[in-house]
Amino acid sequence: MKCWQFLGGQSLKTVYILLIILLVGFINEVVCEETSSSGANYSSYFPRYDYFLNDANKIRLSLTNFGVLGAGRHFMNHASCEYPKNSYNEYLWGAELWFGGIIDGDTLVSSSSMDTDDWSDLIRTEIFPDWNNGDLKIRSRNKTGVNYDLNANSDLDIEFTLTDTMPSTWSYGMMPEDPYDNRYHKPLGIVIKHTSYTWDTDYTKDFIIIDYMIKNEGKKTIEDFYMGIYTVTAVGNKGDMGAGKSNNDELIGFKCVSAYSPGQCVPPDSINLMWWADNEGEAVNNCRYDYRSPRAAASFQFLRRPNENAKINFNWFVSGYHWAANFGPQLKDNYREFHYGTGYPTGDNNKYYLMSNGEIDYDQMFTVIDHQGEGFLPPPGMAFAVDVSNGFSPEGVLSTGPVDLAPGDSTFMTMALVFGDKFHWKPWSYLWYHDPWSPEAYFKYLDFRNLFENSYWAKFTFDNPGVDTDNDGYRGRYLWKCKCDDIDTCYEEGDFPIDTTRDCCYKRYFTGDGVPDFRIASPPPAPIVRTIPKHDKVTIRWNGKITEDYIDFFTQEK
């Protein structure tokens, strides 16, 4: 029997359709195999994209093994940067790492991307997990935890390694061209080791220290290397944000010097932090705060730079889709237009320029004020300037450099994510005192004290005051303090008491030795104890001198 007879009257047509279906399936299978072998199927070529939620203290911070802090485009589905923990009050959309330098006269920048979330979108980023060592490593000093490790520094150490270089099997042409530089991603050839430290003690609950070691693994020197963090703020209660409330009304600024002192005699110290907060703390009816009110201020603070002479740059801006709404402060001598105004820097050259321009921008709240006397360009259009001053959606870049990195050389950038509670403390202060033409009246109602205090403890946890970590004889800067005959006496740095051998005088250290410790305060050493058993009794003897004379390295007091 012939096949068309077996299939009936439409047999020949049916056979043709079946053959076409089989042929299309075969072609599709071949095309899929070819596509996969060319690299477009990213999932077969890349390490897994991992989110890790760091919630070991009062902060819940998302980390990714692609060099992003915060949840980014998954903001509504993940805790991004929540403070305090379980409050649903968020403070960060996301933060990217930016690294820039010059190789053979060519300006290059590599950046992570908070818009990356899976392999189909991986081409958005220029920083990847290290192909050989990109997995998360988790350690803890907590002996009862599953991640206990004798070598851990904190209650939660998180370590992973990043790179800006693709494996040799990849072609950079697989990534889209940069529309502003008209080229594909060109790597610096760096490897970045991320190590973050979190402690859950009383005075360390409000900060996380993040240490980056950057190594040049290329074959050429990277000249004038800069590094920094690009931050997109988002402050508000997540429930209110999901309902379209409590958004696009943040403020950003910079503090060079802390007004906080941990004790008598200690002078104010530099802190160099970029802070941001809601414009008024979301007071209910401008009369009270409740559990949904994001009253705190958040900040990124530099704890370590490449060297003592490295510059600190702080630039903020607001991004829009047309020139008039794309604005950031600029010094007249530094004027540069970034394709769409002076806001977000587009392309490697503009990003590098922003990271290295040496500016410390005025605070966003002062946008209406004319700063031309300080060398800045005039404010933007007045109506827009008022909107920005009232509270907008600011983005900020905090960067440091330069340093030259020869092949094999390394450098460090250490930061702290620090929160300060009760930054907003008077619910009606914004309504009563805020005036964009006279912002000082409201500015004085913002309370930086807790932020300064926590930044101080972050700094001393990173580098313990009075501790000679490298045993070279230097323990940090100090002044003499005496408490003799119930009289407190402080001496200026460099001055000395008449008799420095008296037990009532001691050195009060207010800086460390410049070598990181990553260590928190610990109890005094235990006394030497002896037990003498006798019939029906035990005599316990101890010598408490070592305990009583111990100087706490944080307070510098017994």
Side-chain angles (χ1 to χ4, degrees):
M1 181 185 300
K2 296 181 181 179
C3 66
W4 57 81
Q5 292 178 330
F6 176 78
L7 293 170
Q10 300 294 323
S11 58
L12 203 54
K13 183 177 180 180
T14 303
V15 169
Y16 288 153
I17 292 172
L18 289 172
L19 288 173
I20 290 171
I21 291 173
L22 290 172
L23 183 60
V24 169
F26 173 75
I27 293 172
N28 184 60
E29 184 176 349
V30 172
V31 170
C32 287
E33 288 178 357
E34 290 178 351
T35 302
S36 178
S37 64
S38 69
N41 183 7
Y42 301 111
S43 60
S44 63
Y45 281 83
F46 283 87
R48 187 175 70 243
Y49 187 89
D50 283 331
Y51 272 101
F52 184 84
L53 186 61
N54 184 345
D55 59 354
N57 59 13
K58 286 176 66 176
I59 305 169
R60 298 181 77 201
L61 174 68
S62 283
L63 299 170
T64 78
N65 59 339
F66 278 76
V68 173
L69 307 179
R73 66 189 298 178
H74 282 293
F75 179 85
M76 295 307 299
N77 299 321
H78 288 270
S80 187
C81 185
E82 183 185 85
Y83 178 88
K85 184 167 58 178
N86 300 322
S87 69
Y88 294 99
N89 287 332
E90 294 282 4
Y91 286 82
L92 182 68
W93 179 267
E96 302 174 356
L97 296 175
W98 285 10
F99 302 99
I102 300 172
I103 299 179
D104 290 341
D106 196 2
T107 301
L108 307 176
V109 171
S110 295
S111 59
S112 56
S113 173
M114 64 189 79
D115 288 328
T116 298
D117 69 343
D118 55 39
W119 309 124
S120 63
D121 289 321
L122 191 64
I123 52 177
R124 297 173 185 267
T125 186
E126 298 171 341
I127 292 179
F128 316 90
D130 184 0
W131 309 100
N132 301 314
N133 192 33
D135 294 335
L136 289 166
K137 297 180 180 66
I138 301 171
R139 299 184 295 269
S140 174
R141 66 173 190 157
N142 185 351
K143 292 184 179 181
T144 62
V146 295
N147 297 309
Y148 172 70
D149 190 314
L150 186 63
N151 297 315
N153 289 71
S154 73
D155 296 318
L156 182 61
D157 295 4
I158 301 175
E159 180 183 308
F160 52 87
T161 310
L162 308 163
T163 179
D164 75 335
T165 307
M166 293 183 180
S168 57
T169 56
W170 266 68
S171 165
Y172 286 98
M174 298 167 64
M175 300 178 70
E177 284 191 29
D178 187 308
Y180 306 102
D181 292 333
N182 297 315
R183 67 181 181 193
Y184 302 115
H185 169 56
K186 195 171 181 181
L188 289 157
I190 56 175
V191 169
I192 308 109
K193 182 181 178 182
H194 164 117
T195 310
S196 54
Y197 304 93
T198 307
W199 293 267
D200 191 27
T201 59
D202 183 59
Y203 66 91
T204 63
K205 289 178 181 288
D206 301 285
F207 63 81
I208 298 171
I209 294 178
I210 308 170
D211 183 54
Y212 295 102
M213 183 186 75
I214 302 97
K215 182 179 181 181
N216 179 7
E217 292 208 342
K219 297 180 179 179
K220 297 182 178 180
T221 296
I222 306 175
E223 298 177 336
D224 294 333
F225 181 69
Y226 282 84
M227 48 200 148
I229 190 161
Y230 160 59
T231 302
V232 178
T233 65
V235 182
N237 184 272
K238 185 161 282 186
D240 291 341
M241 288 179 170
K245 306 174 185 177
S246 181
N247 204 2
N248 302 327
D249 58 357
E250 292 83 27
L251 299 170
I252 197 168
F254 186 84
K255 287 291 185 182
C256 296
V257 178
S258 170
Y260 170 80
S261 176
Q264 189 181 13
C265 306
V266 180
D269 199 5
S270 60
I271 51 174
N272 298 316
L273 60 79
M274 171 181 71
W275 64 269
W276 67 94
D278 188 79
N279 62 343
E280 47 86 20
E282 301 298 335
V284 180
N285 298 323
N286 296 307
C287 66
R288 63 182 176 86
Y289 297 117
D290 66 8
Y291 67 93
R292 295 170 300 175
S293 301
R295 299 174 56 189
S299 68
F300 281 121
Q301 172 190 11
F302 277 136
L303 301 177
R304 175 165 49 166
R305 294 171 281 156
N307 53 64
E308 292 183 358
N309 298 320
K311 296 186 297 185
I312 293 177
N313 311 283
F314 165 66
N315 294 266
W316 68 266
F317 45 86
V318 294
S319 299
Y321 294 103
H322 55 85
W323 191 93
N326 204 298
F327 166 78
Q330 279 191 1
L331 292 172
K332 295 177 184 177
D333 294 342
N334 289 346
Y335 175 71
R336 186 178 181 117
E337 185 177 327
F338 303 141
H339 291 92
Y340 296 108
T342 59
Y344 180 81
T346 48
D348 282 5
N349 285 286
N350 287 332
K351 285 180 179 178
Y352 181 82
Y353 168 81
L354 195 76
M355 294 172 68
S356 61
N357 63 11
E359 285 186 14
I360 299 292
D361 287 350
Y362 53 81
D363 289 356
Q364 174 193 341
M365 194 185 300
F366 295 80
T367 302
V368 172
I369 307 302
D370 193 328
H371 298 271
Q372 294 186 74
E374 304 163 35
F376 284 93
L377 293 168
M382 190 51 62
F384 182 63
V386 169
D387 285 345
V388 173
S389 297
N390 289 341
F392 214 73
S393 297
E395 303 163 30
V397 175
L398 184 66
S399 59
T400 184
V403 62
D404 291 342
L405 289 181
D409 281 358
S410 298
T411 189
F412 291 88
M413 177 180 71
T414 309
M415 301 183 306
L417 171 65
V418 185
F419 279 86
D421 203 4
K422 298 180 181 177
F423 180 72
H424 296 289
W425 60 280
K426 204 166 190 177
W428 52 86
S429 58
Y430 186 85
L431 178 66
W432 284 8
Y433 302 110
H434 175 70
D435 180 357
W437 285 273
S438 182
E440 294 88 353
Y442 176 61
F443 197 80
K444 70 179 183 181
Y445 281 94
L446 302 178
D447 192 345
F448 286 90
R449 287 178 297 177
N450 191 242
L451 182 66
F452 288 162
E453 181 179 1
N454 293 331
S455 69
Y456 180 91
W457 293 123
K459 188 172 184 176
F460 272 12
T461 300
F462 167 72
D463 184 11
N464 300 160
V467 177
D468 182 11
T469 308
D470 57 0
N471 297 313
D472 67 349
Y474 178 69
R475 299 173 63 186
R477 295 171 59 192
Y478 68 91
L479 47 76
W480 280 95
K481 181 179 178 182
C482 299
K483 188 172 183 178
C484 306
D485 301 324
D486 293 326
I487 299 174
D488 286 327
T489 307
C490 295
Y491 294 83
E492 296 290 336
E493 185 179 7
D495 293 340
F496 300 89
I498 297 174
D499 184 2
T500 60
T501 63
R502 297 181 65 183
D503 290 340
C504 56
C505 294
Y506 63 93
K507 295 177 180 178
R508 175 67 160 96
Y509 287 88
F510 57 90
T511 74
D513 65 346
V515 181
D517 296 291
F518 300 109
R519 184 180 66 146
I520 63 174
S522 57
I528 299 171
V529 179
R530 292 185 299 128
T531 58
I532 305 170
K534 291 185 178 181
H535 181 67
D536 288 339
K537 71 174 183 178
V538 174
T539 301
I540 302 174
R541 297 182 181 275
W542 67 89
N543 185 336
K545 182 174 175 55
I546 187 174
T547 305
E548 294 169 3
D549 289 347
Y550 175 77
I551 302 296
D552 180 79
F553 67 80
F554 271 92
T555 65
Q556 294 296 304
E557 297 179 359
K558 293 183 181 181

